[in-house]
Amino acid sequence: MIRCLAIDDEPLALQQLVTYIQKVPFLELAAQCQSAMEARKYLEQETVDAIFCDINMPDLNGMDFIKSLQAPPLVVFTTAYSEYAVEGFKVNAVDYLLKPFGMQDFQRAANRVKERLEVTPPLPQQGGGGGSDTIFVKTEYKIVKITIADIRYIEAMSEYLKIYLDSEPKPVITLLSMKKIEERLPDDFMRIHRSYIVNLTKIQEVNKNRVIMDSDTYLPIGDMYKEAFQRYLDAKFLGK
């Protein structure tokens, strides 16, 4: 899900934004604010993927608010004044919605946000045709580099992935499909369940239909993946 912040000083306009966000399956309303100052306080404690923000607000207008953010998320501006459109795109706005706008216009803007978040930079190619030992993914509003050997396992969560690393206590959460990341991973990784990909080198134990990564992490082996996983075990197994 794409976490969104809705900002508008007009209660009816804010409610319309909230309603539209709730109608889009891949959007999640993180919070709604009636001023840029309220939104700033929220962002000091929380992160979002996108902001739907009115421009013409008292105290601090939406344009200046976005400019003031050190690392702003993706933004879609909403306003009744068309003269703001050009200025909006100068701050790299994803889209610009001229009030009054309908659900079709909002859906277009939401789709553009989703497309922008799904874009990942190409992997650097190494000499000799070898694959890269790192990947880059977008998390929150930044792009991070992940060393593939550092990955313990990956969990699918709706349209997002949780990438668990040896070097970090919390997983990296990114908007990406299992299929796409599978294509980037080497043979040391295997999908053992509809929701899990594991680094085979980091498995500690296999107990019945579970893979044990550590004392606190037990991952199920799905029926569709049992045969391939068993072939891997048979190739590594020593004993009678």
Side-chain angles (χ1 to χ4, degrees):
M1 299 290 282
I2 299 173
R3 284 171 51 81
C4 301
L5 179 61
I7 311 170
D8 201 306
D9 64 306
E10 299 177 9
L12 290 178
L14 181 60
Q15 183 56 50
Q16 182 191 48
L17 265 181
V18 169
T19 300
Y20 285 168
I21 288 171
Q22 291 172 338
K23 287 183 177 180
V24 178
F26 55 81
L27 297 184
E28 175 190 351
L29 180 66
Q32 51 182 299
C33 301
Q34 286 192 265
S35 72
M37 303 303 292
E38 183 184 351
R40 177 178 285 171
K41 289 181 181 178
Y42 177 82
L43 291 175
E44 287 174 356
Q45 303 295 327
E46 303 287 342
T47 59
V48 297
D49 302 305
I51 296 176
F52 292 86
C53 182
D54 184 34
I55 294 178
N56 193 30
M57 295 186 292
D59 297 328
L60 179 64
N61 71 47
M63 193 76 64
D64 290 337
F65 166 62
I66 297 299
K67 289 178 180 177
S68 72
L69 298 178
Q70 187 172 6
L74 299 181
V75 61
V76 174
F77 284 119
T78 67
T79 184
Y81 302 94
S82 59
E83 60 267 24
Y84 283 116
V86 174
E87 189 177 356
F89 287 113
K90 285 182 180 178
V91 296
N92 200 29
V94 175
D95 208 344
Y96 171 92
L97 294 171
L98 183 63
K99 297 179 180 178
F101 54 87
M103 184 61 201
Q104 185 175 356
D105 293 325
F106 183 85
Q107 182 73 61
R108 180 200 69 220
N111 289 340
R112 287 180 177 176
V113 169
K114 186 173 185 288
E115 289 168 5
R116 186 79 66 89
L117 284 171
E118 287 177 338
V119 172
T120 56
L123 293 178
Q125 297 297 313
Q126 295 181 338
S132 173
D133 60 355
T134 60
I135 57 175
F136 290 83
V137 299
K138 186 174 181 66
T139 179
E140 296 174 354
Y141 41 80
K142 58 189 176 184
I143 292 174
V144 298
K145 181 174 74 172
I146 294 176
T147 301
I148 290 178
D150 192 32
I151 299 174
R152 296 177 62 239
Y153 66 97
I154 299 166
E155 179 183 4
M157 183 183 62
S158 185
E159 295 183 326
Y160 282 78
L161 298 180
K162 288 183 176 181
I163 303 176
Y164 292 82
L165 307 173
D166 280 335
S167 60
E168 298 291 340
K170 294 183 178 181
V172 174
I173 300 177
T174 183
L175 182 66
L176 200 62
S177 69
M178 289 286 267
K179 181 180 179 181
K180 191 167 184 179
I181 201 164
E182 272 187 292
E183 294 171 352
R184 302 289 185 94
L185 295 173
D187 292 340
D188 287 339
F189 288 80
M190 179 179 289
R191 191 166 183 175
I192 61 165
H193 187 274
R194 180 167 54 91
S195 300
Y196 294 102
I197 295 173
V198 298
N199 185 336
L200 297 168
T201 67
K202 298 184 186 295
I203 293 175
Q204 291 189 1
E205 187 178 331
V206 179
N207 189 335
K208 296 182 179 178
N209 292 325
R210 298 185 303 176
V211 167
I212 301 173
M213 306 301 291
D214 56 51
S215 59
D216 298 317
T217 308
Y218 296 71
L219 306 180
I221 303 171
D223 291 340
M224 290 179 57
Y225 306 92
K226 282 181 182 178
E227 184 177 347
F229 186 67
Q230 187 61 51
R231 287 199 300 268
Y232 165 77
L233 289 181
D234 291 344
K236 297 291 184 180
F237 186 73
L238 295 179
K240 295 182 180 180

